[in-house]
Structure formats: C-alpha cells, structure tokens
Amino acid sequence: MELLDLTALQLGEAIRRGETTIPAATQAALDRVAAENPQNNAYITVLGQQAMERAERLQAALTPDSPPLYGVPMGLKDNLCTRDIPTTCASKILGGFTPPYSATAAERLEEAGAVLLGKLNMDEFAMGSTSETSCFGPVKNPRDLERVPGGSSGGAAAAVAAGMGWYALGSDTGGSIRQPASYCGVTGMKPTYGAVSRYGLIAYASSLDQIGPLARDARDCAAILDQIAGADRHDATSVAGPYGNVLASLDGDLRGVRVGLPQECFGQGLDEAVERAVRAFAKALEARGATVEEFSLPIMDYAVPTYYILACAEASSNLARFDGVKYGWRAEGYEDLTDLYNKTRTQGFGWEAKRRILLGTFVLSSGYFDAYYKKALQVKAVIAAAYRAAFERFDLLLTPVAPTAAPRLGESLSDPLKMYLSDIYTVPVNLAGLPGVSVPCGADEAGLPIGAQLIGPAMGDAMVLKAADAYQREVRA
Ligand code: GLN
C-alpha cells in the first residue's frame, strides 16, 4: 500500500483497521515535504517534531470508532490563525505574529483528530491569482515547476497535488480555493457563505471570504466539510445549515438533476481545450442521469468590476488594523506615531496589498462612495437575484473554473487588470454567496490540469459535492 496515493478517507480507514499507523503516515508526509518543499515552496512553516509528537498521542488514543479523518495529516493556509504557531498571511507586516487562539475551522479539525503538518504559502493577504505576491517567494505548480499553482491558496493546492499532506484548508474570496485547485489538478470547494465559521480567518473581504477544503476528491471534501461546517457563536454570519452528513448523501445518482450551462461562460477568451474538457464533463453528468441545458446569464459581464470594488473597499478597512502597534512587525527609526504607522505600512505591505488599499480607500471616500461602492453593492444584489432566478430552473450550474490552464511564473503580475479578468468565472459565485466546487476534468495539450466548476443554490453544498462525486465515479468506472 502506497500511503501517499490514498485519499484522506482511505488513509483514515487504513489507520482504524491497523493497516498503517498515524506516525507512519505523518513521517511519510514529512519526508515528502522535505523532498519537495525546496522546489515548490508550498509550506511557509513545517511542524516536524510537533507533528510527530501529536501523531504518537493520537495513535495511543485511537479506537475503532474514531472519526473518519482521525490521524490524517494536513496543512492550513497561513491566513488561518493557529494558537502558538506563527501566522503570517505571507506578509512581512505580520512577521513575528503568533496568534493566542485558533480559527474555529482549525479547532474543529483538531477535535476530529487532524495532524497539522504546517502552514501553507499564499498570495499576501489572499490578494492574487498566482501565489506570487508572497513575501516568502512564489509557490510553484508541482505539475510543472515553471508554472504558477494559482492563487491565492496556491500553497494548499500545491501541497495536496504533491502529496505533502492529504488535504488542506484554504480560503476563497473570489476563487482562491477553486482556481488553484483547478491549476494543480485537485478538488477544491468553496462552501455557501456562512456555512463555515470565519472566526480566526484573517479577513480580506469579510462579506465574501469563506473557508473550505482542498483534497484528492469530492468525498474527502464532503468529510472535511462535515467536520468544519455549522454555527459558531464567535461568527454571527455562521449558520447551522443542513450539514454534518454530507458525505453520506453522495450516492452517485444524478437522475432528474437539471444542470444549466451559462452561455456567457463559453464565449470569447475561453481556451479551446478548457471548453472541450468542460463540455465532456457535462456529458459525464448526463451519463449519470442529469439533464444539461444551455441558458443565458447576462450579469456575468458585471461580476469582475463589482467584485474588485467591493473586495478592495473591504480590504482597505480590514487592513487598517496592521499599524505596527497591535500585531506583528514594526519598522525601525520612526520619529512619532504617524511616522511609525507610515514607515511600518510602507515597508510592511507588498505592492498588490498597497494597490488594493489605495483603490478601496478611493471608492469609499466621500464623493466617490455613491458612484462606486454603493453602486457595486446594488449590482451585487442584482447578480444574486439572477442566480436565484437561474436556480428556479436548474439544480446546478456548470462553468469552467478559469479561462486557461496555469500560466507561466512571472507572466501575470505585470498586467494586474488582465489577471483580475481571469477571475471571471469564480467571483460571481462569491458575490452571490453560493457554494462552488472545482473538479479536475482533464488536461490541455501541454498536460496541464483543467477544472470544471459546479455551482449550487445557497445551502446546496451537498448537491454540488454529490455531482462532483458522481463525475469522479463516472470517470473511474
Ligand atoms: N484572485 C482574486 C483576488 O485577487 C481572489 C482571491 C481570493 O479568493 N482570496 O482577489
């Protein structure tokens, strides 16, 4: 049995059956990290000794009824707070910050017996689509080290793709779980807004941020969601919802399920190989009993500008707290308090974070608030309504995750506007607060992975994962 080839659920089962041990699995993952991290830079912090000690303790407490993911080693994106373990958001400004508490999602996994291997690299403050804006240097795509892994959860996707842990938690504000999952060939899910507590997730754009799993397949994602979902008294936007037994509902049967293909997602700018792969994905859903029909979703054109106005506005406000006083790093040689703020923020933030703070401050300033921020909020409501109308006709929507496969390193940052436009298929899902999953569905001519995106109505997380799982059963069959 090759441990690193198992899914997280299969490993959990092998551990419960005594076919392997938690320390053996943890050691295998740490060995892989030691071998691969110097190349792909997926991990910022690796917890070698600490992870092995936890593995020994968990092994001693193992019972036949331990939870499904008990003992399975995993990683967390470095914007999820972890008690006594540095949490950096891949930013110099959080250098030296060690949170006094853990994110609720991380804590729930810990209670279910997760072994934390370390903290995963990302775009600074989750702002980006390539994981190149990290102050720890870019992450590289394990499928092709000259390509980006996507972003901002690029470290999470690269780690899962390279066997450096069986799963990871990322965050998704406008595609940051789904798009890197697609570029690296793993399954990544953004739950319904509110399904998973955001307590302890360092905020980028609070009204759009959601924590979710990246894993080998949809069944693993369901098992992880079952652990982390549900109301939390620390996050007033979290809801109880129909979660806790999503895994049990994945039966592979899509009879009677109506899938809509928005025409606007298959037009100009879409790479031919991606279109072909996503249409083949639709055929596989049909083979499982679904009906697939094209329809028009004209609001797609407004999603990217609306998203970047709202996300930057919220970011400018959320990042105001990093001032050199409360958290992390402080510049040296300041003259007074204003100078301390100025020097710390000037030297502590990278270019992309600064660009967004400036843009966000602009759209929130008096005189521009109504023209940009308020207007964007109104368009957000129109986009959400368009999806609600679509879900009166369909149970699920199917689109590509990104217009192309992974670009080369260094190609994207020079033209930020072009990079923002490549978020076209993922950002409207966050604006509407809906669940979406990215499912690997083949490769382009260069052998680079392609992802299909399934989108469900609010609280339809189980349906989204059921269809993703049905597809994975169909291609395995
Ligand atoms: N690429 C998008 C952005 O840069 C999405 C990032 C995210 O989901 N965190 O904002």
Side-chain angles (χ1 to χ4, degrees), residues 266-339:
F266 292 87
Q268 224 193 354
L270 180 63
D271 190 85
E272 257 175 54
V274 177
E275 171 157 9
R276 226 177 301 123
V278 177
R279 290 198 185 274
F281 187 98
K283 287 269 174 276
L285 296 183
E286 282 177 334
R288 286 269 156 177
T291 56
V292 179
E293 197 187 317
E294 292 201 18
F295 76 109
S296 178
L297 191 64
I299 49 88
M300 291 298 295
D301 285 352
Y302 305 105
V304 171
T306 304
Y307 168 81
Y308 275 94
I309 288 171
L310 294 178
C312 292
E314 292 186 34
S316 74
S317 166
N318 275 325
L319 270 54
R321 75 192 65 174
F322 303 109
D323 56 6
V325 177
K326 301 188 217 44
Y327 310 90
W329 183 81
R330 176 181 301 170
E332 282 168 14
Y334 47 87
E335 279 159 19
D336 53 22
L337 188 61
T338 308
D339 195 37

Side-chain angles (χ1 to χ4, degrees), residues 186-200:
V186 302
T187 306
M189 198 234 178
K190 174 208 132 25
T192 299
Y193 184 77
V196 179
S197 166
R198 288 176 295 110
Y199 182 67

Side-chain angles (χ1 to χ4, degrees), residues 27 319 357 377 403 445:
Q27 191 60 58
L319 270 54
I357 290 169
L377 279 181
E445 303 77 33

